[in-house]
Amino acid sequence: MSPMKRPESSATAAAAGFRPSQPQLKAITAWMACQSDRPSLSEAIGRLVELGLAVSADPDRQKQRARKMAGDAIDRMGDTTTTAEDRAIRKRDLLDGPKEFDRVRIDRSRRSKPIPE
């Protein structure tokens, strides 16, 4: 991974204070030690913030990864005495969840329902 570049003009950026807890500071310094260019503490915190923002910017990728991990776990625990089709149906049902919960799931778009007359 190549080092992240500093913003063009840091003079116009607002200063932000950060007081890490001891475990956070320990983790940050350990991360700094693994970097080839040995960044300063403030540079390391800036890079970690950028990494964190980049990860949270792509929630669909996180959902796909979580779904794959759950699917792999289901495959390992699946009943091998049933047919492949039955296992696939069971897996899909487990991953999608009960239909009764569709209206409260925040990871799915709301479907427009006809208004009763």
Side-chain angles (χ1 to χ4, degrees), residues 28-117:
I28 293 168
T29 54
W31 183 86
M32 289 167 50
C34 295
Q35 303 305 302
S36 60
D37 61 343
R38 304 282 188 221
S40 66
L41 181 61
S42 65
E43 179 69 22
I45 291 171
R47 288 184 196 176
L48 289 168
V49 167
E50 289 214 9
L51 287 169
L53 291 172
V55 168
S56 66
D58 193 3
D60 287 337
R61 190 170 137 206
Q62 288 178 324
K63 286 180 193 174
Q64 290 171 350
R65 185 170 174 241
R67 188 175 177 94
K68 181 176 180 348
M69 288 172 59
D72 291 346
I74 291 168
D75 287 341
R76 285 192 303 273
M77 297 184 319
D79 182 5
T80 56
T81 61
T82 61
T83 66
E85 184 180 344
D86 283 342
R87 285 193 305 272
I89 291 169
R90 290 176 184 177
K91 180 178 177 178
R92 186 178 59 244
D93 288 345
L94 285 169
L95 290 173
D96 290 343
K99 297 203 183 322
E100 295 84 7
F101 296 155
D102 275 351
R103 70 180 186 287
V104 295
R105 297 219 14 205
I106 60 173
D107 63 331
R108 300 223 177 134
S109 61
R110 299 222 184 264
R111 296 182 189 116
S112 59
K113 295 181 180 176
I115 299 171
E117 294 180 15

